[in-house]
């Protein structure tokens, strides 16, 4: 059942399922939060409960409806999401339906898929996906039709951030959804949604996933316990990020980060150029993960200085590597603060699709200059 695929979030999950049982669930809702907090699996679990043919505190998991929702093939479960143009067709005629097979298989494999991962899987270059006017018209049309199999219909709009001003088309529908219809808008950031829409919906802010649940979920995915704890600690409650970390782990992030700092400290231009090119080969999620991990290393250095080695929450092997690295351990709090600011800025720029190789090289030079001054 979809409910079992949600990592943590026990409180919000049971509250919302309870309101389905009590028949008090709002008919137009916005679920806000990073994809890694689990908005999509949560909404799919609600859809499964709403469409289940049995009465109960949650979906039965056995009936035909439950199984159809499980496979994302229920005729009354409609899902819209951003897409890109397709060979041989005009963009204005392309909707989610043209990508249903790809989307379904991606989400069935990982309901914590992010927008970037999705778009990268269907577009060759860094493209911008959006939800177009035809999609909005289709949504209106299909929700105004009779339900196929029961009394209820569910419309999910995944990454509603990409509706833009087309969202206006859906205003009336959201204000007065047809009988038995539930509309869920899932977005990373509510500020991207028209105020006219947000004001008509009940808004749920997804909290971050707690470390213990995240750790337990990683262990079921064959991550070793020590590693799972470390990944949960550095993922900031974002399970999508945790999964990327888990995949990257074999590259040994600690070694990568220490190597980078050494190149900066030596002001090794040739080496930094090569390093920036290598860094550019990672995808944007992976780059973000590497940089976030570096921020955690810097934070650990501060903990080490303020409290002592026991306060360093890295895995045993990474901690040993850090404690051997005198040049990092001797950074002052002010220096760490400056470097952290630069790294945070890099993350923002990479998210805005600035060429990562350039961002990396540029930041490396300024961190190198900072480190050179102290030598
Ligand atoms: Zn059922």
């Amino acid at each position: 059942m979809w409910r079992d695929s949600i990592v943590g979030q026990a409180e919000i999950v049971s509250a919302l399922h309870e309101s389905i049982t009590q028949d008090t669930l709002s008919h137009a809702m916005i679920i806000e939060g990073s994809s890694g907090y689990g908005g999509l699996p949560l909404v799919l679990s609600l859809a499964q409960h709403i469409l289940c043919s049995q009465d109960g505190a949650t979906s039965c998991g056995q009936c035909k409806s439950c199984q159809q929702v499980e496979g994302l093939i229920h005729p009354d479960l409609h899902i819209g999401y951003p897409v890109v143009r397709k060979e041989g067709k005009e963009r204005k005629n392309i909707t989610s339906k043209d990508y249903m097979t790809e989307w379904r298989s991606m989400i069935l494999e990982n309901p914590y898929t992010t927008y970037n991962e999705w778009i990268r899987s269907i577009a060759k270059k860094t493209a911008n996906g959006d939800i177009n006017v035809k999609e909005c018209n289709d949504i209106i049309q299909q929700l105004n039709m009779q339900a196929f199999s029961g009394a209820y219909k569910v419309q999910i709009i995944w990454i509603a951030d990409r509706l833009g001003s087309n969202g206006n088309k859906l205003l009336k529908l959201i204000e007065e959804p047809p009988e038995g219809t539930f509309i869920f808008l899932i977005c990373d950031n509510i500020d991207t949604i028209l105020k006219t829409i947000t004001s008509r919906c009940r808004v749920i802010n997804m909290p971050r996933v707690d470390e213990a649940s995240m750790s337990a979920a990683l262990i079921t995915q064959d991550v070793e316990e020590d590693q799972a704890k470390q990944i949960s600690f550095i993922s900031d409650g974002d399970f999508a990020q945790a999964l990327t970390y888990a995949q990257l782990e074999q590259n040994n992030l600690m070694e990568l980060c220490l190597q980078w700092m050494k190149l900066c400290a030596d002001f090794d231009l040739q080496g930094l150029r090569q390093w920036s090119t290598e860094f550019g080969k990672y995808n944007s999620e992976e780059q973000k993960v590497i940089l976030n991990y570096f921020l955690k290393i810097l934070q650990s250095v501060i903990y080490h200085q303020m409290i002592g080695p026991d306060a360093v929450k890295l895995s045993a092997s990474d901690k040993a590597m850090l404690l051997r690295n005198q040049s990092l351990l001797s950074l002052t709090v002010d220096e760490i603060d400056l470097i952290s600011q630069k790294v945070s800025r890099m993350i923002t720029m990479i998210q805005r699709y600035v060429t990562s190789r350039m961002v990396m090289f540029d930041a490396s030079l300024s961190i190198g200059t900072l480190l050179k001054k102290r030598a």
Side-chain angles (χ1 to χ4, degrees):
M1 284 200 298
W2 282 108
R3 190 169 174 166
D4 302 327
S5 71
I6 308 167
V7 180
Q9 313 291 23
E11 215 170 295
I12 204 162
V13 171
S14 53
L16 289 172
H17 277 276
E18 174 68 17
S19 54
I20 294 176
T21 317
Q22 304 287 336
D23 205 13
T24 53
L25 189 75
S26 166
H27 284 256
M29 294 178 67
I30 293 178
I31 316 285
E32 187 207 18
S34 160
S35 297
Y37 300 166
L40 180 61
L42 168 68
V43 167
L44 288 170
S45 85
L46 299 176
Q48 200 162 32
H49 190 179
I50 291 167
L51 296 168
C52 175
S53 56
Q54 307 291 315
D55 279 336
T58 188
S59 45
C60 76
Q62 304 298 320
C63 71
K64 188 178 168 200
S65 255
C66 278
Q67 303 207 335
Q68 285 176 326
V69 175
E70 194 68 26
L72 302 176
I73 49 169
H74 196 291
D76 294 315
L77 173 63
H78 306 286
I79 309 175
Y81 38 84
V83 291
V84 294
R85 62 191 299 269
K86 217 170 191 180
E87 201 79 3
K89 258 187 152 182
E90 274 190 81
R91 174 64 188 97
K92 65 175 183 7
N93 294 325
I94 303 271
T95 65
S96 306
K97 288 192 184 67
D98 295 285
Y99 283 100
M100 195 61 211
T101 316
E102 290 92 337
W103 193 82
R104 197 180 278 142
S105 73
M106 189 141 193
I107 298 304
L108 288 176
E109 185 167 325
N110 175 21
Y112 285 83
T113 295
T114 64
Y115 164 77
N116 280 338
E117 286 167 334
W118 162 240
I119 292 299
R120 208 165 42 237
S121 77
I122 55 168
K124 288 202 178 73
K125 288 239 166 78
T126 330
N128 263 325
D130 62 2
I131 298 172
N132 64 8
V133 173
K134 179 166 175 19
E135 182 98 43
C136 295
N137 289 335
D138 286 0
I139 290 174
I140 296 165
Q141 201 184 15
Q142 71 208 6
L143 291 186
N144 279 307
M145 291 195 309
Q146 197 73 21
F148 282 93
S149 59
Y152 298 107
K153 278 170 290 179
V154 175
Q155 173 71 52
I156 298 174
I157 301 181
W158 182 63
I159 317 287
D161 311 63
R162 295 285 160 173
L163 264 173
S165 55
N166 295 341
N168 269 325
K169 288 236 151 221
L170 301 175
L171 272 185
K172 191 173 171 297
L173 184 78
I174 288 171
E175 192 159 47
E176 292 169 57
E179 183 75 20
T181 302
F182 291 87
I183 303 170
F184 298 96
L185 275 65
I186 305 173
C187 64
D188 281 347
N189 178 357
I190 199 162
D191 295 338
T192 59
I193 309 232
L194 297 173
K195 292 283 167 292
T196 40
I197 292 190
T198 55
S199 62
R200 287 166 167 81
C201 294
R202 177 168 172 221
V203 178
I204 303 280
N205 292 103
M206 290 297 282
R208 290 165 193 268
V209 181
D210 67 287
E211 280 183 33
S213 307
M214 200 183 269
S215 208
L218 287 168
I219 290 170
T220 64
Q221 302 205 6
D222 293 330
V223 178
E224 287 187 22
E225 196 180 338
D226 189 38
Q227 205 63 266
K229 270 195 193 151
Q230 155 145 333
I231 293 175
S232 311
F233 163 63
I234 56 192
S235 299
D236 288 329
D238 185 313
F239 193 61
Q241 249 194 68
L243 292 174
T244 309
Y245 269 111
Q247 281 154 11
L248 263 178
E249 207 39 64
Q250 65 257 31
N251 290 309
N252 202 338
L253 295 187
M254 188 61 161
E255 224 169 81
L256 267 179
C257 293
L258 293 183
Q259 190 196 353
W260 176 36
M261 268 309 95
K262 182 162 182 349
L263 290 171
C264 291
D266 294 348
F267 215 75
D268 177 350
L269 293 184
Q270 175 77 14
L272 281 173
R273 219 168 267 127
Q274 251 172 27
W275 157 262
S276 304
T277 306
E278 286 305 310
F279 182 76
K281 290 180 185 163
Y282 289 102
N283 66 45
S284 58
E285 262 82 24
E286 293 168 335
Q287 291 170 345
K288 200 173 131 193
V289 156
I290 295 171
L291 294 174
N292 264 330
Y293 186 63
F294 187 64
L295 287 175
K296 290 288 178 185
I297 296 177
L298 293 175
Q299 191 193 85
S300 301
V301 173
I302 295 186
Y303 285 170
H304 179 259
Q305 290 172 354
M306 300 289 179
I307 310 169
D310 286 347
V312 177
K313 269 172 102 200
L314 303 173
S315 73
S317 57
D318 282 12
K319 184 171 168 178
M321 277 170 91
L322 176 65
L323 296 186
R324 279 198 302 272
N325 193 299
Q326 275 315 313
S327 52
L328 262 180
L329 291 183
S330 66
L331 289 173
T332 66
V333 172
D334 286 345
E335 286 164 339
I336 290 176
D337 190 44
L338 274 172
I339 299 176
S340 303
Q341 282 176 28
K342 295 214 183 306
V343 175
S344 303
R345 196 171 138 68
M346 289 169 81
I347 296 174
T348 313
M349 289 173 83
I350 286 169
Q351 278 166 336
R352 288 187 194 144
Y353 301 118
V354 181
T355 313
S356 56
R357 194 165 37 84
M358 300 300 292
V359 172
M360 178 43 97
F361 190 66
D362 197 48
S364 299
L365 290 187
S366 56
I367 294 174
T369 310
L370 183 93
L371 294 177
K372 216 165 67 170
K373 261 190 219 146
R374 68 198 303 269

